[in-house]
Amino acid sequence: MSVWALLAASTGLTLSSLAGHPSAAGAPCVRPVRAATQVQGEVRICPGRYRIADPSERGVVIAASSGTRIDLTGVTLESGDSVPGRYTGIGIASRGVDGVTVLGGTVRGYRFGVRLEGGHGHRISGGDLSGSRAQPLRSSAQRADSADRLDPARAEAIDRYGGAILLRNTVGASVTGVTARGSQNGIGLVEARDSYLADNDLTGNTGWGIHLWHSSHNLIVRNQAERTRRCPAPGSACAGAAILLREASDSNTIIDNDLTGSSTGVLLTGEPPVEHASVGNLIIRNDASLALESGFAALFTWSVTFLENRADSAGAGFRLTRVSSSMVRGNTVIGARESGITVAHGSDNTIESNVLLGARVGIRVIASDTGAPASRGFRIDDNVLGGLEQAIVLEGTTGSRIRGNLIDGVGSGLVIDAAGHGTEVTGNVFLRATRWFIDAPDLVAGGNYWATTDASAAATRVHGRISVLPWKPARAAGY
């Protein structure tokens, strides 16, 4: 046996990988010929098209040591399978090494285009990883098929679904300038932290553009994940989302991403059977307009901040369920089909300085489920609400404050049931309403500004036992 063969047998490296190692003389690039080709050091894969299956799912090209740099410029690596629902294998893989770099190239037809497990400081940049595994869909625009519903609650589903990139148990990885379009899932983080995902094109996938499982302190910025759609029938998003966080994915920052035209733009869920809420996340300046269901949705969590986002022409701009100690501030929702902001069974939340125009309801806080926690302690301040059938609705909600809101061009301005009789209502500006400025059984509403000639005229525009004194004219507030 030759020296090269003995070395390959003892290390697990193929002859091709040895040729690409800096210590191997002569060969300028590596040409893989079979799966499980291990490489290390500075490696350039020879430009060309390679059709290599990976039924064992170890990886076609495996980074075998820390510091491996794989340059795929001019390379197309594909499995040869033509049925996305049965794709298997991994294009580029690593396990338990640090500082793997994957640059450029096209990888398609595998369960995962790139899968890196463990290690610090990985970098993936500039490749086209479109065409990873994708389940066939049975739903139509008229009817959702339950078989299409994704499972966001179990980690094992992530491996079954596949995706362009999976980072598992990594620290400080970066993914930039990658294209991963037209498949099921784009980029997945599983027990990953301190990652940087920026400027990637994840358009037109059918599951999750970016998804996190037990992954914290990650920065997700300026990615395109628009048209992430699943189950387009109304009311049936089937758990599809442009960005999904669940199972203790805490303290992540999601900023300046294009999520338009998706089933749901951002979904944070701790709903059972997910065991742990994802808390402390900051969602800022993302665009989830044209969402089929909700621009932004959060379930069973707390301490989430939605700041300066947009969700025009969505089913609902924001839909929050059992969310507490959170903030929705400075967001814009124009032309929602249902509501600008709906919160069910929440507590101690702030809804502030939002612009909500053209929907059935601007802000709706409810507690309709028997046996569920009541809604309480809301601060609804300084919002602009117009072109709505109902501007602000509180149902089964106690201990709240409604202050400094501008309400104009609505059917009814403020609708509160008996549970909200102690709600503080002050400093609001009521301009135009075709039905009632306020509709409530019993409410003190002094200190507001009214577009009426006097207090008596304002009293004719409210329904219920409502005090409007002290009355203030709208012009005193500049209107």
Side-chain angles (χ1 to χ4, degrees):
M1 184 179 293
S2 70
V3 172
W4 289 112
L6 286 170
L7 184 55
S10 64
T11 62
L13 302 175
T14 69
L15 299 182
S16 296
S17 66
L18 291 168
H21 193 276
S23 63
C29 60
V30 172
R31 190 177 299 278
V33 294
R34 57 185 176 273
T37 296
Q38 298 188 38
V39 298
Q40 58 184 331
E42 295 280 339
V43 178
R44 183 169 68 91
I45 304 298
C46 298
R49 181 176 178 180
Y50 301 87
R51 180 167 292 178
I52 302 174
D54 180 34
S56 66
E57 303 210 84
R58 294 176 58 194
V60 174
V61 177
I62 303 171
S65 65
S66 296
T68 298
R69 181 180 185 273
I70 303 172
D71 186 347
L72 297 170
T73 302
V75 172
T76 296
L77 180 63
E78 57 190 7
S79 69
D81 200 338
S82 60
V83 181
R86 70 185 185 198
Y87 288 168
T88 59
I90 305 166
I92 309 296
S94 74
R95 297 172 183 85
V97 298
D98 297 327
V100 172
T101 298
V102 181
L103 302 175
T106 297
V107 182
R108 62 192 181 208
Y110 298 98
R111 189 187 301 270
F112 292 101
V114 176
R115 177 170 175 156
L116 308 182
E117 300 187 42
H120 295 66
H122 302 309
R123 178 188 172 205
I124 304 171
S125 181
D128 188 343
L129 305 176
S130 304
S132 57
R133 186 182 177 100
Q135 297 169 309
L137 297 179
R138 303 176 182 178
S139 299
S140 68
Q142 292 74 39
R143 177 183 175 275
D145 191 308
S146 60
D148 292 340
R149 181 168 180 81
L150 295 172
D151 181 1
R154 294 175 177 81
E156 55 267 28
I158 298 169
D159 288 331
R160 183 171 74 251
Y161 293 154
I165 296 171
L166 181 65
L167 301 175
R168 185 187 292 272
N169 294 309
T170 61
V171 177
S174 73
V175 181
T176 59
V178 166
T179 299
R181 308 180 66 170
S183 303
Q184 182 162 316
N185 299 322
I187 301 172
L189 304 181
V190 177
E191 298 183 323
R193 60 184 174 89
D194 300 322
S195 309
Y196 178 63
L197 311 183
D199 304 306
N200 301 291
D201 181 355
L202 312 169
T203 300
N205 293 299
T206 61
W208 305 317
I210 297 171
H211 64 99
L212 281 65
W213 172 280
H214 201 187
S215 295
S216 300
H217 300 281
N218 302 287
L219 176 58
I220 300 172
V221 57
R222 297 188 308 275
N223 299 282
Q224 293 177 270
E226 67 267 32
R227 299 193 305 281
T228 307
R229 295 182 178 180
R230 197 171 190 88
C231 295
S236 307
C238 291
I243 298 179
L244 169 68
L245 293 83
R246 75 277 203 213
E247 190 55 43
S249 291
D250 303 333
S251 302
N252 298 285
T253 300
I254 300 172
I255 181 169
D256 288 331
N257 299 282
D258 183 354
L259 317 174
T260 54
S262 299
S263 293
T264 298
V266 175
L267 172 60
L268 296 90
T269 182
E271 183 177 13
V274 173
E275 294 185 1
H276 303 97
S278 296
V279 304
N281 292 288
L282 174 62
I283 319 296
I284 178 170
R285 290 201 307 271
N286 302 280
D287 190 348
S289 297
L290 300 169
L292 302 182
E293 291 300 314
S294 304
F296 302 88
L299 301 88
F300 294 80
T301 187
W302 65 92
S303 190
V304 57
T305 299
F306 294 99
L307 182 62
E308 298 179 6
N309 301 283
R310 194 163 196 115
D312 296 343
S313 301
F318 294 80
R319 199 187 306 271
L320 313 181
T321 301
R322 300 202 191 186
V323 172
S324 62
S325 302
S326 296
M327 176 179 287
V328 182
R329 181 184 180 193
N331 304 280
T332 300
V333 183
I334 299 174
R337 294 185 297 280
E338 300 173 18
S339 63
I341 300 169
T342 292
V343 187
H345 299 281
S347 63
D348 303 311
N349 295 305
T350 297
I351 301 174
E352 179 180 275
S353 301
N354 303 285
V355 176
L356 308 171
L357 305 175
R360 284 189 287 183
V361 181
I363 298 170
R364 187 178 185 213
V365 180
I366 60 175
S368 56
D369 294 340
T370 303
S375 290
R376 59 177 176 80
F378 276 73
R379 299 294 180 260
I380 302 175
D381 298 342
D382 303 317
N383 300 282
V384 176
L385 302 111
L388 306 159
E389 294 180 23
Q390 297 175 312
I392 300 174
V393 177
L394 268 61
E395 299 175 1
T397 302
T398 62
S400 296
R401 179 182 77 196
I402 300 174
R403 186 174 69 185
N405 300 282
L406 174 62
I407 299 172
D408 186 24
V410 299
S412 294
L414 178 59
V415 180
I416 302 179
D417 65 9
H421 69 90
T423 302
E424 176 187 338
V425 180
T426 184
N428 302 284
V429 180
F430 294 93
L431 295 183
R432 294 176 298 165
T434 58
R435 296 171 62 193
W436 305 107
F437 282 134
I438 299 177
D439 184 356
D442 183 8
L443 191 68
V444 174
N448 294 288
Y449 300 87
W450 308 84
T452 61
T453 55
D454 53 30
S456 297
T460 67
R461 304 297 309 282
V462 298
H463 183 246
R465 291 177 37 181
I466 298 167
S467 172
V468 300
L469 299 174
W471 170 89
K472 298 180 182 181
R475 64 176 179 274
Y479 297 94

